[in-house]
Amino acid sequence: MTRALTRAAATAAVLLMLAACDGTSSQPDPTTSGTTASESSEAAPSSAAPSDDDTATATQDATPEPELNTPVPAAGPVERTWPQEIKTISQGEREFTLFGVHRLDDTRAVVTGRIRGASSSTAAAQWFEPGFLHTRGGYEFSRVAVVDQDDVRHLPVRDKDDRCLCSLSTAVYQELGDKGQAPAWAVVSLPADAESVDVEVADVGVIEDVPVTPLPDAQSVPFGWDEVLTIDKVTRADGVVTARTTMINAGDFRPSYTLARHEFEFPDLQGQHCFQGLAAYGPVAPTGRMAKDPDCHRGSMVEPGQQITLEVKIADPGGERLVILPDAGLPVTTPAEGSPAEGARESLRAYATRTEEAGATVEEGEALEVSLDTSVLFDFDKAKLTGKADQAIAVAVKTLKAQDKRAIVVAGHTDGQGSAARNDELSEQRAKAVAAALQKKLGSGWKISVEWHGSSQPVADETGSAEQVKAAQARNRRVEITVP
């Protein structure tokens, strides 16, 4: 006790001497301290020596935040921890493990899982929704759909450029040999009353009776082929979401691609060439993509056993609840500081809900469009409606009657096979056949315009493997009904 008092007295004497030397007073400056003189007196520290706990707390508080954009050794051993699995299905080179179907809001859900492939250079491209092959910016995981109790298929949502809101593979599998596995997710439309669904992965298999559950909380998730992504802190201010993240290479090799390969293909921002692999989902406004940021990181992936701290700026989609969607990692839910405010319009993307039933694909976004599959409506090279067409026409009629407008455009299209003259003729005949059927079912009070375009307005490139060409041709053969 005597030694403690002696130390305290000596410390006080030294402090008084230092104050006298620099001409300052021990009284805090009221313009910077935020306290009054009386409050300073009450809050003055005691002369007792600090305890070991106090010293530890002070040291901890003084620990600086990691320096941005600088690779450093990982803080400790890191493993990629996967969520609990529901079921694994496979076919040929494709293997998909389902983690869950999680509710995002009243109209949408996210399907989460893990994909695995062989070392074929085309394996990564095999996860596209048939007929939607894009290679710029990564390979989509969009081969998934969920089927509700009414046998309606709910498809991945897409923007006006046909890009899905889904995870992207940034490299083909041959760089990893046969060990490649990566997180996968896709946002699909789903009505609020759906409690369980079947999950369908085209040409791979079906997982039945999957419950629709809330999105689990997660801060650290597997990312890419060997990395772990941690969202350390999220703030919202002035229409911008700032996510401070840590990326750790938990594998045994360094990928050859740069962090700039992680992106959601937002054309206005391509010149930045930096890490932009996060999106922000909110139910009020469209999904936020990367906000313009001259200080974004332009480096490469880190070496095995290293980590890097990055700060990513994303346009705020608005709404209280915020979900961070990494392009190559599982969804992250984390509290955010600050107030939500819708961000810059050029950095926001709207995604249309898409459903398919009986050969009729309904897309509801900024406009309403119903695309009818001609393989269901007509026999090959014919323009007479088949018996199977009735259901597809019925879906179109139900959809059209549910909205307020009473003017529609019916347009016929073909694929690129055959002569231009025959394609023009066939698309005209088919468009007129569908228009007549709609007029009969809709009744009076509707204005129906008819157009035909042959093969001049394809929605898919008829290139690639035989499978990809066939799927693209199937998309191009259609009769579209739009509400202008």
Side-chain angles (χ1 to χ4, degrees):
M1 180 69 176
T2 302
R3 285 194 299 269
L5 290 173
T6 302
R7 285 197 303 268
T11 301
V14 170
L15 290 174
L16 288 171
M17 291 173 62
L18 290 174
C21 290
D22 63 10
T24 61
S25 167
S26 60
Q27 178 71 28
D29 181 356
T31 63
T32 59
S33 70
T35 59
T36 65
S38 61
E39 288 171 337
S40 294
S41 175
E42 292 174 359
S46 70
S47 60
S51 66
D52 291 341
D53 289 342
D54 292 337
T55 303
T57 301
T59 303
Q60 184 177 15
D61 292 342
T63 302
E65 290 187 336
E67 185 177 353
L68 289 175
N69 308 334
T70 303
V72 297
V78 177
E79 294 185 5
R80 285 155 59 94
T81 302
W82 299 96
Q84 183 175 353
E85 301 175 6
I86 292 179
K87 188 175 181 179
T88 297
I89 53 178
S90 62
Q91 181 65 43
E93 292 185 336
R94 304 185 187 105
E95 178 185 288
F96 174 69
T97 298
L98 177 67
F99 297 144
V101 178
H102 306 298
R103 174 69 63 187
L104 290 174
D105 55 39
D106 288 344
T107 62
R108 301 183 184 192
V110 59
V111 179
T112 62
R114 180 178 61 224
I115 59 173
R116 186 192 299 268
S119 57
S120 166
S121 63
T122 61
Q126 293 182 10
W127 294 102
F128 279 88
E129 180 180 355
F132 287 84
L133 179 61
H134 303 290
T135 55
R136 285 192 63 212
Y139 296 93
E140 292 182 356
F141 172 71
S142 57
R143 210 174 186 85
V144 64
V146 297
V147 185
D148 66 20
Q149 63 271 20
D150 297 321
D151 290 330
V152 177
R153 298 176 69 245
H154 299 270
L155 308 173
V157 300
R158 291 190 178 273
D159 66 14
K160 60 183 179 60
D161 296 322
D162 269 347
R163 303 284 177 175
C164 74
L165 185 53
C166 58
S167 61
L168 302 171
S169 163
T170 58
V172 291
Y173 282 88
Q174 77 259 25
E175 190 176 55
L176 303 123
D178 292 329
K179 76 176 186 119
Q181 56 180 345
W185 57 267
V187 175
V188 297
S189 60
L190 192 65
D193 60 353
E195 297 181 354
S196 67
V197 294
D198 295 342
V199 176
E200 173 188 288
V201 182
D203 302 321
V204 178
V206 177
I207 302 174
E208 298 180 339
D209 298 323
V210 178
V212 179
T213 61
L215 186 65
D217 292 334
Q219 186 177 4
S220 294
V221 294
F223 185 89
W225 305 108
D226 273 319
E227 291 79 47
V228 174
L229 177 73
T230 300
I231 305 295
D232 301 309
K233 182 180 180 181
V234 177
T235 57
R236 309 173 83 171
D238 301 324
V240 175
V241 175
T242 301
R244 193 179 182 92
T245 70
T246 299
M247 183 91 69
I248 303 177
N249 187 341
D252 54 11
F253 82 106
R254 179 182 184 176
S256 61
Y257 55 86
T258 68
L259 282 169
R261 288 292 303 275
H262 289 287
E263 57 174 335
F264 279 98
E265 187 63 22
F266 190 55
D268 292 345
L269 302 173
Q270 289 306 295
Q272 295 193 158
H273 300 298
C274 54
F275 181 72
Q276 46 186 307
L278 301 180
Y281 183 91
V284 175
T287 297
R289 300 288 188 98
M290 187 171 180
K292 293 181 179 179
D293 179 13
D295 298 323
C296 61
H297 184 58
R298 292 169 172 79
S300 300
M301 300 295 287
V302 295
E303 298 283 355
Q306 288 188 333
Q307 68 182 47
I308 187 171
T309 299
L310 309 171
E311 201 166 76
V312 183
K313 296 186 184 301
I314 318 163
D316 195 330
E320 293 296 330
R321 185 168 182 264
L322 195 65
V323 177
I324 302 297
L325 299 172
D327 72 325
L330 295 176
V332 175
T333 56
T334 184
E337 300 176 4
S339 301
E342 188 174 328
R345 178 57 52 179
E346 66 269 18
S347 295
L348 295 173
R349 281 287 180 100
Y351 290 85
T353 59
R354 302 168 58 240
T355 59
E356 188 277 325
E357 181 181 6
T361 299
V362 179
E363 183 172 306
E364 296 185 70
E366 296 178 356
L368 173 65
E369 179 180 293
V370 182
S371 181
L372 303 179
D373 184 350
T374 58
S375 67
V376 174
L377 300 178
F378 309 101
D379 290 330
F380 177 73
D381 201 35
K382 303 296 182 183
K384 180 181 178 180
L385 291 170
T386 66
K388 295 186 299 181
D390 289 345
Q391 273 189 291
I393 296 293
V395 172
V397 169
K398 180 181 177 181
T399 302
L400 293 170
K401 285 185 173 180
Q403 52 89 45
D404 295 333
K405 295 182 179 179
R406 290 297 180 263
I408 60 176
V409 177
V410 179
H413 303 268
T414 69
D415 62 26
Q417 301 179 88
S419 69
R422 175 53 184 158
N423 286 337
D424 287 343
E425 177 185 35
L426 187 61
S427 64
E428 176 186 2
Q429 293 171 343
R430 287 178 169 180
K432 289 180 176 178
V434 169
L438 289 172
Q439 186 71 75
K440 182 178 179 180
K441 297 289 186 180
L442 290 170
S444 61
W446 288 78
K447 179 183 177 182
I448 302 178
S449 303
V450 180
E451 300 176 355
W452 54 92
H453 303 283
S455 59
S456 65
Q457 294 185 6
V459 290
D461 292 332
E462 297 177 10
T463 58
S465 67
E467 176 191 358
Q468 291 162 354
V469 170
K470 184 178 179 181
Q473 290 172 339
R475 276 196 69 203
N476 289 333
R477 295 189 300 268
R478 68 204 188 277
V479 176
E480 288 179 342
I481 307 164
T482 57
V483 180

